[in-house]
Amino acid sequence: QKREISNFDYLMYLNTLAGRSYNDYMQYPVFPWVLADYHSETLNLTNPHTFRDLSKPMGAQTVERKHKFIQRFNEVEKSEGDLSAQCHYCTHYSSAIIVASYLVRMEPFTQTFCSLQGGSFDVADRMFHSVKSTWESASRDNMSDVRELIPEFFYLPEFLTNANHFELGCMQDGTVLGDVQLPPWADGDPHKFILLHRQALESDYVSAHLHRWIDLIFGHKQHGSAAVEAVNTYHPYFYGDKMDLNNIKDPLIKSTILGFISNFGQIPKQV
């Protein structure tokens, strides 16, 4: 409000307060998608339509997708400690595999990604290869994809290039994976992409609406009735600080929950 701190620094501070850290892939700092325009030749940061709706989670960015997730929520009977528990999303917006997939072109994340994938790269069509197609998957097309971003999208151009010349595979349409495909407004330049993306994060529009996203991820819309209303509930296992593992006597259930969290992510502590 007073322009004494950048939006980037504020988000990093909130992530730290909520227990997120660069030292833990499972609780890596989470940042929002801020743009919805990955097709224009020039980026207009004065047009509200350029931006993602920060008041809604990734699962509710389109009306059709939102209704599908609400339908899923309503169809499942509430059952504690069960994999079919009532929730909107059974996947998470931040997990070890999401972090490693974004940073796969850089070590040590390359090795981390491969170890999480059982020793090799993923199928090429599922690899992070295009900012535009990743946005379309997470905001519209893929019901099991509600991923948000990581801080590197706002300061680190190197993760967008395949400087180590890793053989990442070839997609079904014949595209050989190399550098990440950037939106037209970046002119194929990772440094320009980061510059404009950071300007978008610090823009007046995002400054005026960022608190709504913070409510969803770190605040009062994180769980409970406010989360249900906001179409923002996740599987109970994702709420690590709400699960009292010490009271779970069955070792199978306990290991299932721990495996679930390590594979699929964890909700930040409520700030």
Side-chain angles (χ1 to χ4, degrees):
Q1 286 180 322
K2 296 180 179 178
R3 296 290 196 268
E4 291 175 359
I5 186 173
S6 68
N7 290 336
F8 182 90
D9 288 335
Y10 185 49
L11 286 170
M12 283 304 299
Y13 181 67
L14 285 175
N15 270 285
T16 304
L17 280 181
R20 314 294 284 190
S21 165
Y22 283 118
N23 299 324
D24 187 348
Y25 292 128
M26 290 179 281
Q27 295 195 75
Y28 208 76
V30 55
F31 269 58
W33 288 94
V34 292
L35 293 172
D37 182 354
Y38 297 96
H39 55 269
S40 298
E41 292 294 329
T42 55
L43 196 59
N44 183 358
L45 296 180
T46 61
N47 182 356
H49 296 294
T50 298
F51 298 92
R52 165 256 180 105
D53 187 341
L54 287 158
S55 69
K56 295 181 175 67
M58 289 304 292
Q61 289 296 307
T62 69
V63 175
E64 182 187 6
R65 185 166 150 103
K66 177 182 174 182
H67 287 319
K68 283 181 182 175
F69 281 119
I70 291 173
Q71 185 180 356
R72 173 193 282 178
F73 181 89
N74 291 334
E75 282 173 356
V76 180
E77 288 296 319
K78 206 165 191 179
S79 50
E80 285 297 322
D82 184 4
L83 283 172
S84 61
Q86 189 176 36
C87 60
H88 293 109
Y89 314 114
C90 295
T91 54
H92 198 242
Y93 50 76
S94 175
S95 66
I97 196 68
I98 289 171
V99 173
S101 69
Y102 280 145
L103 300 172
V104 70
R105 290 163 178 80
M106 294 173 59
E107 291 289 15
F109 303 98
T110 312
Q111 293 303 316
T112 302
F113 182 84
C114 288
S115 66
L116 289 170
Q117 283 294 129
S120 62
F121 291 120
D122 198 359
V123 176
D125 285 81
R126 288 204 300 258
M127 296 277 285
F128 171 54
H129 68 279
S130 158
V131 178
K132 178 175 180 279
S133 65
T134 303
W135 160 255
E136 289 171 349
S137 170
S139 67
R140 188 187 71 199
D141 297 340
N142 187 344
M143 289 293 283
S144 61
D145 183 3
V146 292
R147 77 184 78 179
E148 292 279 8
L149 298 182
I150 54 175
E152 283 82 352
F153 272 85
F154 300 95
Y155 69 83
L156 191 71
E158 287 78 10
F159 88 97
L160 297 165
T161 61
N162 187 20
N164 293 315
H165 305 293
F166 291 120
E167 293 185 10
L168 301 170
C170 184
M171 296 172 66
Q172 287 184 344
D173 64 4
T175 304
V176 177
L177 296 197
D179 297 344
V180 175
Q181 294 172 10
L182 302 175
W185 46 259
D187 296 329
D189 182 350
H191 289 82
K192 186 173 182 180
F193 172 82
I194 295 293
L195 174 69
L196 292 173
H197 204 215
R198 182 65 173 265
Q199 286 177 359
L201 178 65
E202 305 299 341
S203 67
D204 288 340
Y205 179 90
V206 172
S207 297
H209 295 85
L210 188 59
H211 64 285
R212 297 182 181 276
W213 182 83
I214 290 168
D215 285 343
L216 295 168
I217 307 299
F218 301 106
H220 75 289
K221 291 183 180 177
Q222 193 190 72
H223 54 79
S225 57
V228 174
E229 197 176 321
V231 194
N232 192 44
T233 65
Y234 297 81
H235 194 281
Y237 290 174
F238 291 140
Y239 298 87
D241 58 338
K242 299 284 183 289
M243 301 289 300
D244 189 357
L245 292 173
N246 295 325
N247 285 337
I248 297 173
K249 301 296 182 230
D250 188 325
L252 187 61
I253 293 176
K254 198 170 188 173
S255 66
T256 300
I257 294 172
L258 289 170
F260 204 85
I261 292 168
S262 65
N263 283 317
F264 298 110
Q266 199 170 346
I267 301 287
K269 288 175 185 167
Q270 194 171 29
V271 176

